[in-house]
Amino acid sequence: MAPHDLRRPFKRPAISDQQRRRELSLQRQSQNRRDAQQQARCLASSVLSLQSQYPDPVPELEIEPESQPQQEAGPLTKDLDIRQASKLRGPEVRKWFASQLMLPEWMIDVPDRLSHDWYVFARPAGKRCMVVSSNGTTVSRERNGSILHHFPSALPSGARTKDPSGSAQSYCILDCIFHELDQTYYVIDMVCWRGYSLYDCTAEFRFFWLNSKLAETGACDAPSHYHKFRFSTVPVYDCDQRGLYSAYIESVPYAKDGLLFYNKHAHYQTGNTPLALVWKDEKCSQYVIDTDSKGQVLSQQQIIGAKPELRQLVVLELQEDGKLSTSDDPPVIFGCLDGEFIQKSGLQSGSLLKFAIGNGGLSFVDGKLEKSDLNYLGKSNRARMFADSYSKVIFQYMVRHTPLKFDDLLASVSPSDDEENKPCDVEMVD
Amino acid sequence: MAMEVTQVLLNAQSIDGTVRKHAEESLKQFQEQNLPSFLLSLSGELANDDKPVDSRKLAGLILKNALDAKEQHRKFELVQRWLSLDANVKTQIKTCLLNTLTSTVADARSTSSQVIAKVAGIELPQKQWPELIVSLLSNVHQLPAHVKQATLETLGYLCEEVSPDVVEQDHVNKILTAVVQGMNASEMNNDVRLAATRALYNALSFAQANFSNDMERDYIMRVVCEATQSAELKIRQAAFECLVSISSTYYEKLAPYMQDIYSITAKAVREDEEPVALQAIEFWSSICDEEIDILEEYGSDFTGNSDIPCFYFIKQALPALVPLLLEILLKQEEDQDQEEGAWNIAMAGGTCLGLVARTVGDDIVPLVIPFIEENIAKPDWRQREAATYAFGSILEGPSPDKLLHIVNVALSFMLSALTKDPNNHVKDTTAWTLGRIFEFLHGSTIGTPIITQANCQQIITVLLQSMKDTPNVAEKACGALYFLAQGYEDVGPSSPLTPFFQEIVQSLLTVTHREDAGESRLRTAAYETLNEVVRSSTDETAPMVLQLVPVIMMELHKTLEGQKLSSDEREKQGELQGLLCGCLQVIIQKLGSSEPTKYVFMQYADQIMGLFLRVFACRSATVHEEAMLAIGALAYAAGLDFAKYMPDFYKYLEMGLQNFEEYQVCAVTVGVVGDICRALEEKILPYCDGIMTQLLKDLSSNQLHRSVKPPIFSCFGDIALAIGENFEKYLMYAMPMLQSAADLSAHTANVDDDMTEYTNSLRNGILEAYSGIFQGFKNSPKTQLLIPYAPHILQFLDSMYMEKDMDELVMKTAIGLLGDLADTLGSNAGSLIQQSLTSKDFLNECLSSKDHMIKESAEWARLAINKAISV
């Protein structure tokens, strides 16, 4: 039995470069394997992501889908085709793009379990847009589909520079608000990240992902040659009393335009959704009362007998049978034009028409719209893509008559407020 | 029955090659014709005191080799062969072996000891040869010293060969008693005492119960410590070896003895001869190893089986231990840095000092700084070297804040010493220390950078200059540059190295061409540094990396032009090809990772592939592996274009998959199959029959190292994902293998961390295979083929969930698979999932996981499952 050798490595690094080469190869291979697997699953989710076909995870808030005109007209896939679509031109693509954003309804009553199931944050004032980075360039498109900027960015595949992930599949889609004053894209939601679709992930996960991933790319850094605009996240709070208060009162680097509420369990659902809500008052927005596209309060129309600041305009879509409907799915009917008038005015079904709400106002029975006093003003601006939503009309109506106040919101999330104890419906009578 | 073998055994050791060969042939024939008779003859020869010692020794050696082999499967065969021998034959052989222990010929006794241990290694686990230990123990009390000595030696070998759980505690107690008595100072015969001390070294792992008993432990420790004071060097050395072994096996029992052990070891380090002093230092290094492990486990708040607390022995010994180690740093040998494999007391002391620094961190700094300051500028090179070595040793462990000040002060001194010091040894250590500075105190995680615009130029100039120094110094300078570049790996679009890039690359290439680049590993270091410089390069220097491609290709081409090579030259050529292929691999991976550079690089693809194929034709294991890795990177970069290389490349791919012996080569090749699957997608189909056949063979082989099996399963997934429903024809082979592997891995004994880790990697491979297969079949009319496998998969997931020992990666892959199953099978899976025991709990647990990868997969799985259930 000989003595045992006790030599230890002397002046040598613990890992050889050969070992390192092996390990780096293995890392690359397993990353590539994950990418391939992910891609296969994305192909699956493209079929799965027509959420409207399947029960929503939060059934009590679900809207029964009756028809799916957008899905039938537009491409079936979302994340895969959005990259194609970003290269297209013309009115069709504008329409297509316009339908890709998740649009909040206006908050006309306080949802149950606000403090448990919802986030709140101060919405930046600015242009809502979809930012797509892919193949070494970044394109932002406004809600109406028109291109806002075409620029290099530090987002994955957002510029023609070294991309550490190295994958050509690593495109991203972000839901942003472009804030003119500091030339910053405020990212309010993440739709796709490095080729991975987040459409079918909960808001809780999307926000978590957004906060953990965006900064690490350098997209939040100051602008540079390869990174023309700064991106930024917004502070998101749990919608308890403190969070609500913080979102409402605390100063942020951007001008606020109301508060946005997101249901934690909601997936990214394109179009209007009751799982995201917007609310505003004068303190947290300059634009509480309806504004036109230039941000001017609409006041020039003379509606006899109404106080000028309370005049309310609505845009509704003319249906084939003469009914006037909102942009909701299913649409809500606000009234009807008679055939003779339609003919005389040369209006066609599908037209967007502008009305003022007259002295008769809106009447409700059991919380449902029963009657509305509408005065026809004319055709809507051609830039408009959609009629107003029901919640917008009602919110604007309430602002003018019985506004939902911040204190009401606070009260609904007060700790004393038992879960079972649902907030009362706001009375909506003229 | 036995046969006369003496002459043949002597002939087999003849200097005459022909005679030897003939004798070996006869022995082989004899063995094949009649194994029992052959073994009997050998044991008879070994036991016969009238025979020459040389034939007896060889007889014993052949016997030993008939019982054991290194290779696992061969060993298994030999064990089975012995067990199936006639019982009478075995008894006769064993009697011969035991008789030999009383022989007066020392070599015969010693050989027999080893053979007995081998037989015991086979028979004791089978509950055979129960009388062995009893009869050995009775020998210990026999008078002749040589019998005692042989018996203790046999017990030592036996403890090395046999696992503690097959020896009953009563026997363990008796063995230990005999051994410790033999070690006792009252034993006057040094041979007996040495044999006993060496036997204790192996018997220590049997002494778990005895070390838990205070009295027994005290007694063993006292005898060991006394043996370190023996007049006989070999006994002292063996006794310190026991202490080293105890320090790791029974760390938690050492507290009462540390004071005495410190005195004993310090005295040995200062006064005893080198072999003993080295063991004494090793004791402290080993304590450091233990405490580093324990503290690391604390750090990762791993509470599983880390019930051993840290006793902070090193921290307590620090004030005395550090001066001792610093003292012996001054005992360097001339030219120790140029000698391959040198090991002396100064080197051991420096290594131990480095371990102490890692163990205690900040506390070591104030104890070492005065030594550095006092000695670093002395005229005697030993003092300058020792001071520098001490400095380099403490750079890992203490916090950067504690070190930054002194490093900033020392940096310019070091740079000047590296150029001006007249002593080679000092320059070697200085360059090494600079490398350590860059390794541990430079990079994006360090707040205040030590390399600034002001000194960057000077540092690089000095390092490049030193690359022209003697090979050992130049090699360390390359190493320093390696870590300098590594610190800039994640620096962003613009690197401070950019202005020097061209010069650095040029200098490294010049080093590779030095006549003496074969010494001190210099050429290897230069290429490895080049690799790191390429890895840390940015867009700014991409054009220069591109220019490097034809240069390295030309070098590789030159290695292929050689005429007839001697075996020595062939080995050197193989090494160089390995380095060059490695370098190309790094370059391909770098340039392939961004679209514009990939596009330009691809113009070289045909030529590079041609070179790789010629390298394969040379056949050398390491080259094979490096070229294979490089081809994987090329396939990833080339994508579908890689298809054109497949006809020529395929045979080498198959060869790689068949390489059981060099399992690294096999593992690397399996990885490359995955790369090719993703590159070619369904175009890999024509090669799949061959690849699948080979992979299935690999899986059923018991020769192949087990670590390759999990990646092979993952590779099934890669293939299935690439060829989709065409995987149908492999289902009948792949699925049963997956199922039996799943059954095996579902319930683990959780013996140790290694086993748990292996089980998890196996599970991950299995799950990835299933995922790939299910995703591959999606939307095809053949999905119903997979339905029969679904219940088993769900049971597999259930059982893993219930075992509660999945790691994060397995959990993520597992929940993903549940989604894949639902996604592909739709309503067919829906009802199965609803009925399954734990799917719902598992999903919920993953949905609320803090690990975002798990959560991400779970979100997806929930969606797929909801759909499958609602349809």
Side-chain angles (χ1 to χ4, degrees):
Chain A
M1 273 187 286
H4 298 78
D5 190 11
L6 42 71
R7 258 177 297 193
R8 286 170 180 259
F10 183 69
K11 288 189 184 176
R12 289 261 173 276
I15 296 184
S16 78
D17 194 71
Q18 188 187 26
Q19 189 55 31
R20 194 141 175 258
R21 285 199 294 279
R22 274 187 204 136
E23 281 165 11
L24 289 172
S25 287
L26 283 176
Q27 269 176 28
R28 178 182 58 72
Q29 284 164 348
S30 55
Q31 180 60 49
N32 293 348
R33 176 177 296 130
R34 276 201 291 277
D35 286 353
Q37 187 69 256
Q38 202 54 67
Q39 224 181 331
R41 286 177 184 164
C42 276
L43 290 172
S45 6
S46 63
V47 184
L48 292 170
S49 63
L50 301 176
Q51 302 101 318
S52 44
Q53 280 182 1
Y54 307 109
D56 208 274
V58 191
E60 68 271 20
L61 291 169
E62 186 193 333
I63 301 177
E64 257 324 294
E66 281 165 16
S67 64
Q68 297 142 19
Q70 283 177 20
Q71 273 88 355
E72 278 158 22
L76 284 176
T77 57
K78 287 174 187 149
D79 50 318
L80 295 181
D81 283 17
I82 202 156
R83 285 185 299 158
Q84 307 297 326
S86 65
K87 293 173 194 149
L88 301 178
R89 299 279 178 276
E92 269 315 297
V93 73
R94 283 176 47 199
K95 179 126 189 163
W96 188 87
F97 254 94
S99 64
Q100 292 307 304
L101 285 164
M102 169 150 142
L103 303 173
E105 289 195 357
W106 292 67
M107 188 188 285
I108 49 181
D109 52 14
V110 183
D112 295 353
R113 295 174 57 83
L114 189 61
S115 63
H116 293 90
D117 291 342
W118 294 73
Y119 289 123
V120 63
F121 59 92
R123 176 165 82 168
K127 290 179 179 135
R128 178 85 184 276
C129 53
M130 197 70 124
V131 176
V132 179
S133 73
S134 122
N135 280 325
T137 187
T138 309
V139 178
S140 58
R141 282 176 184 269
E142 290 183 64
R143 207 194 136 184
N144 65 14
S146 62
I147 292 183
L148 179 62
H149 298 121
H150 194 147
F151 60 105
S153 77
L155 294 174
S157 300
R160 297 206 172 277
T161 59
K162 173 185 94 163
D163 179 1
S165 78
S167 168
Q169 297 300 326
S170 67
Y171 63 95
C172 297
I173 305 172
L174 303 176
D175 184 345
C176 297
I177 293 173
F178 183 69
H179 188 253
E180 284 283 351
L181 203 65
D182 61 358
Q183 294 282 297
T184 298
Y185 280 94
Y186 287 93
V187 186
I188 61 169
D189 210 335
M190 184 175 260
V191 184
C192 270
W193 188 252
R194 290 196 193 277
Y196 175 69
S197 167
L198 295 156
Y199 278 102
D200 302 314
C201 299
T202 62
E204 192 174 15
F205 180 72
R206 296 197 310 275
F207 287 169
F208 160 72
W209 206 240
L210 167 61
N211 275 300
S212 49
K213 291 289 160 189
L214 187 68
E216 74 188 29
T217 61
C220 301
D221 297 348
S224 61
H225 183 62
Y226 288 113
H227 181 53
K228 203 166 159 199
F229 293 102
R230 201 166 73 91
F231 285 77
S232 177
T233 55
V234 297
V236 176
Y237 305 93
D238 280 326
C239 198
D240 51 18
Q241 261 191 325
R242 209 157 89 185
L244 189 59
Y245 202 68
S246 303
Y248 185 61
I249 212 83
E250 242 154 54
S251 76
V252 278
Y254 50 84
K256 291 182 191 175
D257 181 21
L259 300 180
L260 276 172
F261 297 80
Y262 273 67
N263 186 293
K264 290 179 184 176
H265 312 292
H267 293 188
Y268 194 94
Q269 182 177 338
T270 60
N272 291 319
T273 168
L275 298 179
L277 298 169
V278 61
W279 173 91
K280 46 175 81 168
D281 68 5
E282 262 117 15
K283 183 150 174 50
C284 69
S285 171
Q286 320 172 34
Y287 317 112
V288 181
I289 302 282
D290 238 356
T291 58
D292 68 7
S293 58
K294 294 185 192 79
Q296 303 289 315
V297 175
L298 300 170
S299 61
Q300 70 273 48
Q301 279 86 15
Q302 292 301 309
I303 303 299
I304 298 152
K307 293 179 203 156
E309 71 274 17
L310 291 180
R311 278 173 208 130
Q312 184 182 355
L313 304 182
V314 294
V315 175
L316 297 169
E317 183 175 338
L318 180 64
Q319 304 286 332
E320 227 158 311
D321 53 6
K323 283 180 178 154
L324 297 166
S325 67
T326 63
S327 62
D328 301 275
D329 181 19
V332 177
I333 306 304
F334 259 73
C336 192
L337 290 180
D338 68 31
E340 201 182 324
F341 179 79
I342 294 171
Q343 227 169 11
K344 203 172 68 189
S345 316
L347 301 174
Q348 275 146 18
S349 69
S351 301
L352 298 180
L353 307 179
K354 196 151 57 174
F355 297 87
I357 296 183
N359 294 339
L362 307 175
S363 319
F364 299 85
V365 170
D366 294 338
K368 280 193 171 170
L369 181 72
E370 195 205 44
K371 209 177 75 189
S372 56
D373 176 11
L374 299 174
N375 299 309
Y376 177 65
L377 294 175
K379 283 194 192 177
S380 152
N381 187 327
R382 282 205 309 142
R384 277 298 284 260
M385 300 297 299
F386 296 103
D388 285 336
S389 68
Y390 175 77
S391 66
K392 179 183 176 183
V393 177
I394 303 303
F395 186 89
Q396 286 295 330
Y397 189 77
M398 284 164 63
V399 164
R400 289 163 171 81
H401 298 91
T402 50
L404 182 58
K405 298 198 186 77
F406 184 69
D407 289 343
D408 301 332
L409 295 179
L410 266 187
S412 74
V413 296
S414 73
S416 64
D417 190 31
D418 189 58
E419 272 191 55
E420 255 59 50
N421 189 1
K422 296 174 185 174
C424 300
D425 280 343
V426 177
E427 281 294 303
M428 286 182 286
V429 283
D430 194 9
Chain B
M1 197 165 151
M3 204 179 120
E4 177 61 35
V5 283
T6 313
Q7 197 51 51
V8 193
L9 288 168
L10 291 175
N11 286 351
Q13 301 168 74
S14 161
I15 359 169
D16 184 337
T18 347
V19 176
R20 202 169 60 231
K21 213 167 170 199
H22 184 72
E24 283 166 358
E25 278 302 312
S26 328
L27 286 170
K28 204 175 150 201
Q29 247 178 8
F30 184 16
Q31 175 167 13
E32 280 162 9
Q33 278 163 6
N34 191 340
L35 180 71
S37 161
F38 178 67
L39 296 178
L40 275 174
S41 307
L42 291 174
S43 60
E45 183 80 10
L46 177 61
N48 191 337
D49 270 340
D50 300 332
K51 297 291 183 182
V53 64
D54 285 341
S55 71
R56 295 176 75 182
K57 265 166 68 182
L58 186 59
L61 189 67
I62 297 174
L63 260 179
K64 193 175 121 185
N65 290 340
L67 296 164
D68 195 10
K70 266 192 193 151
E71 272 178 295
Q72 224 29 57
H73 71 110
R74 174 78 185 140
K75 182 183 177 126
F76 184 73
E77 280 169 22
L78 293 176
V79 168
Q80 295 307 312
R81 193 177 76 176
W82 173 263
L83 289 172
S84 59
L85 278 181
D86 178 69
N88 279 330
V89 173
K90 284 190 283 191
T91 308
Q92 280 186 59
I93 293 174
K94 288 188 284 190
T95 309
C96 284
L97 291 171
L98 285 173
N99 286 341
T100 313
L101 291 183
T102 61
S103 164
T104 49
V105 182
D107 279 338
R109 292 198 306 269
S110 178
T111 310
S112 187
S113 292
Q114 297 174 47
V115 184
I116 291 170
K118 292 290 176 198
V119 176
I122 296 174
E123 296 202 344
L124 294 192
Q126 309 287 328
K127 308 240 179 282
Q128 296 175 13
W129 211 4
E131 69 281 12
L132 169 68
I133 291 174
V134 179
S135 90
L136 285 174
L137 288 168
S138 71
N139 273 353
V140 177
H141 305 295
Q142 286 190 9
L143 267 184
H146 71 269
V147 183
K148 233 180 185 180
Q149 177 267 337
T151 306
L152 288 166
E153 191 175 342
T154 309
L155 287 170
Y157 283 124
L158 187 140
C159 291
E160 192 177 24
E161 209 60 50
V162 175
S163 131
D165 54 352
V166 303
V167 182
E168 51 184 281
Q169 185 60 41
D170 178 47
H171 283 170
V172 170
N173 293 342
K174 284 179 176 150
I175 291 173
L176 281 169
T177 307
V179 167
V180 176
Q181 269 173 11
M183 277 180 79
N184 210 319
S186 61
E187 172 60 60
M188 301 315 281
N189 184 304
N190 275 342
D191 291 339
V192 172
R193 205 173 170 200
L194 179 62
T197 311
R198 288 181 173 167
L200 180 69
Y201 179 90
N202 289 329
L204 280 169
S205 57
F206 286 65
Q208 214 74 43
N210 313 82
F211 261 82
S212 300
N213 177 317
D214 291 351
M215 237 171 56
E216 293 182 26
R217 184 182 62 239
D218 284 348
Y219 179 59
I220 296 173
M221 289 303 291
R222 184 171 62 76
V223 170
V224 174
C225 289
E226 276 171 14
T228 65
Q229 306 300 308
S230 160
E232 171 67 33
L233 170 85
K234 282 186 176 161
I235 295 176
R236 295 200 302 276
Q237 188 184 0
F240 272 111
E241 275 193 72
C242 288
L243 277 184
V244 171
S245 171
I246 290 169
S247 72
S248 62
T249 316
Y250 300 108
Y251 168 84
E252 75 277 16
K253 309 273 191 225
L254 278 178
Y257 316 105
M258 284 308 281
Q259 193 61 48
D260 289 341
I261 296 177
Y262 176 76
S263 312
I264 294 170
T265 50
K267 185 161 173 288
V269 168
R270 289 202 171 99
E271 296 167 21
D272 211 326
E273 293 181 56
E274 190 163 68
V276 182
L278 285 173
Q279 291 292 350
I281 298 169
E282 180 62 18
F283 172 83
W284 292 101
S285 293
S286 166
I287 294 282
C288 288
D289 288 343
E290 290 305 310
E291 296 197 342
I292 290 170
D293 280 355
I294 295 170
L295 294 171
E296 251 172 28
E297 284 194 357
Y298 282 175
S300 60
D301 60 44
F302 175 80
T303 45
N305 47 6
S306 75
D307 44 8
I308 299 178
C310 185
F311 287 91
Y312 300 100
F313 293 138
I314 298 293
K315 205 179 161 90
Q316 290 165 42
L318 210 57
L321 185 60
V322 170
L324 175 69
L325 295 172
L326 292 173
E327 194 181 312
I328 57 174
L329 282 186
L330 292 157
K331 298 189 178 176
Q332 307 97 326
E333 284 168 18
E334 303 271 356
D335 298 334
Q336 71 181 33
D337 276 306
Q338 273 112 315
E339 265 174 68
E340 202 76 33
W343 188 248
N344 59 44
I345 190 163
M347 293 164 103
T351 308
C352 186
L353 188 66
L355 290 167
V356 171
R358 285 176 55 199
T359 312
V360 302
D362 289 356
D363 291 353
I364 200 171
V365 179
L367 295 172
V368 174
I369 301 264
F371 178 82
I372 301 172
E373 286 170 347
E374 187 184 329
N375 291 289
I376 194 104
K378 282 282 162 63
D380 181 357
W381 72 264
R382 287 174 194 279
Q383 286 172 290
R384 298 197 305 279
E385 198 277 336
T388 315
Y389 196 88
F391 184 40
S393 297
I394 61 165
L395 290 169
E396 185 186 10
S399 60
D401 289 345
K402 190 85 181 170
L403 293 169
L404 276 176
H405 175 69
I406 176 174
V407 166
N408 276 314
V409 173
L411 190 58
S412 59
F413 185 91
M414 296 278 151
L415 291 172
S416 133
L418 187 52
T419 31
K420 299 203 188 92
D421 200 287
N423 181 277
N424 175 284
H425 199 138
V426 173
K427 284 194 283 189
D428 184 295
T429 303
T430 305
W432 170 77
T433 300
L434 282 169
R436 301 261 297 177
I437 291 176
F438 302 146
E439 183 176 2
F440 300 112
L441 296 164
H442 155 63
S444 57
T445 52
I446 306 292
T448 338
I450 48 155
I451 303 175
T452 60
Q453 265 193 321
N455 64 15
C456 190
Q457 162 97 56
Q458 191 205 357
I459 292 171
I460 288 169
T461 307
V462 169
L463 291 179
L464 297 190
Q465 186 61 34
S466 289
M467 285 185 205
K468 297 174 189 154
D469 210 317
T470 51
N472 62 309
V473 176
E475 186 246 346
K476 303 293 187 305
C478 288
L481 194 56
Y482 185 101
F483 291 112
L484 180 83
Q486 193 173 69
Y488 288 127
E489 246 182 32
D490 44 9
V491 72
S494 178
S495 164
L497 288 186
T498 297
F500 314 104
F501 194 86
Q502 189 81 41
E503 197 187 352
I504 291 172
V505 168
Q506 202 49 56
S507 303
L508 288 167
L509 289 173
T510 308
V511 171
T512 66
H513 291 131
R514 278 172 60 153
E515 289 283 326
D516 54 3
E519 295 169 33
S520 291
R521 227 183 128 259
L522 178 57
R523 183 177 287 113
T524 305
Y527 275 118
E528 292 185 342
T529 305
L530 188 58
N531 293 345
E532 191 51 39
V533 169
V534 169
R535 278 190 207 109
S536 63
S537 66
T538 64
D539 279 356
E540 298 171 318
T541 39
M544 286 179 263
V545 176
L546 266 167
Q547 284 169 15
L548 200 52
V549 177
V551 176
I552 303 294
M553 282 168 62
M554 182 49 82
E555 295 289 332
L556 188 54
H557 177 79
K558 278 195 266 175
T559 69
L560 295 161
E561 293 298 282
Q563 306 301 310
K564 287 208 166 146
L565 300 172
S566 68
S567 70
D568 190 35
E569 285 167 327
R570 183 168 292 281
E571 196 186 320
K572 283 191 178 142
Q573 176 208 36
E575 257 178 51
L576 182 56
Q577 287 173 345
L579 294 172
L580 292 164
C581 289
C583 188
L584 281 171
Q585 182 220 333
V586 172
I587 295 175
I588 295 169
Q589 198 148 332
K590 182 77 194 179
L591 295 177
S593 69
S594 110
E595 288 297 321
T597 49
K598 181 165 89 182
Y599 180 75
V600 187
F601 161 76
M602 285 309 291
Q603 62 177 315
Y604 296 112
D606 288 357
Q607 284 169 282
I608 289 188
M609 193 63 198
L611 285 169
F612 289 154
L613 293 173
R614 288 179 63 194
V615 168
F616 280 129
C618 294
R619 295 275 304 152
S620 159
T622 68
V623 164
H624 202 141
E625 183 188 340
E626 292 285 354
M628 195 54 91
L629 275 172
I631 286 177
L634 187 67
Y636 168 62
L640 264 182
D641 289 341
F642 192 82
K644 62 179 168 181
Y645 307 126
M646 281 305 283
D648 292 329
F649 172 57
Y650 177 72
K651 65 174 170 186
Y652 298 112
L653 191 73
E654 203 166 57
M655 266 163 56
L657 294 177
Q658 284 162 349
N659 199 338
F660 293 148
E661 294 80 30
E662 291 145 331
Y663 71 90
Q664 284 280 18
V665 173
C666 187
V668 159
T669 313
V670 171
V672 170
V673 172
D675 279 329
I676 296 175
C677 286
R678 286 181 289 273
L680 300 189
E681 301 191 341
E682 66 272 26
K683 281 198 183 172
I684 199 175
L685 191 56
Y687 304 97
C688 283
D689 283 355
I691 293 172
M692 280 302 291
T693 307
Q694 207 48 59
L695 291 177
L696 290 164
K697 269 192 205 162
D698 285 351
L699 279 178
S700 8
S701 158
N702 51 11
Q703 286 178 56
L704 184 63
H705 195 275
R706 68 175 192 179
S707 69
V708 190
K709 297 192 176 177
I712 291 179
F713 285 126
S714 304
C715 190
F716 281 177
D718 297 337
I719 293 172
L721 204 53
I723 64 174
E725 60 181 12
N726 292 304
F727 197 81
E728 178 188 354
K729 60 177 163 176
Y730 309 124
L731 283 178
M732 60 181 290
Y733 308 104
M735 286 307 210
M737 284 217 172
L738 284 165
Q739 286 184 352
S740 63
D743 290 341
L744 200 73
S745 82
H747 308 284
T748 53
N750 223 340
V751 235
D752 54 44
D753 290 355
D754 276 355
M755 192 59 202
T756 313
E757 196 181 315
Y758 178 73
T759 303
N760 273 319
S761 81
L762 188 63
R763 289 169 173 174
N764 195 57
I766 296 165
L767 295 166
E768 284 186 335
Y770 280 136
S771 269
I773 293 169
F774 275 89
Q775 283 299 343
F777 271 73
K778 184 169 58 190
N779 301 332
S780 108
K782 294 182 183 163
T783 49
Q784 85 282 354
L785 290 172
L786 298 178
I787 296 173
Y789 304 107
H792 186 271
I793 292 173
L794 288 168
Q795 279 163 29
F796 177 45
L797 294 175
D798 281 343
S799 64
M800 282 195 301
Y801 179 72
M802 289 186 286
E803 291 276 321
K804 298 274 176 221
D805 59 354
M806 284 185 269
D807 64 18
E808 283 83 7
L809 187 62
V810 172
M811 205 150 166
K812 178 205 163 265
T813 323
I815 196 65
L817 171 60
L818 191 63
D820 295 328
L821 195 97
D823 185 22
T824 297
L825 298 185
S827 58
N828 290 310
S831 51
L832 286 171
I833 290 173
Q834 276 177 313
Q835 289 157 23
S836 85
L837 292 174
T838 62
S839 292
K840 203 170 162 227
D841 296 342
F842 182 35
L843 180 64
N844 284 333
E845 193 176 316
C846 291
L847 282 170
S848 55
S849 167
K850 282 184 189 135
D851 183 315
H852 65 77
M853 301 279 275
I854 294 175
K855 206 173 156 137
E856 186 184 19
S857 292
E859 290 280 356
W860 184 81
R862 172 164 73 175
L863 197 75
I865 293 168
N866 279 344
K867 184 197 164 199
I869 290 175
S870 69
V871 171

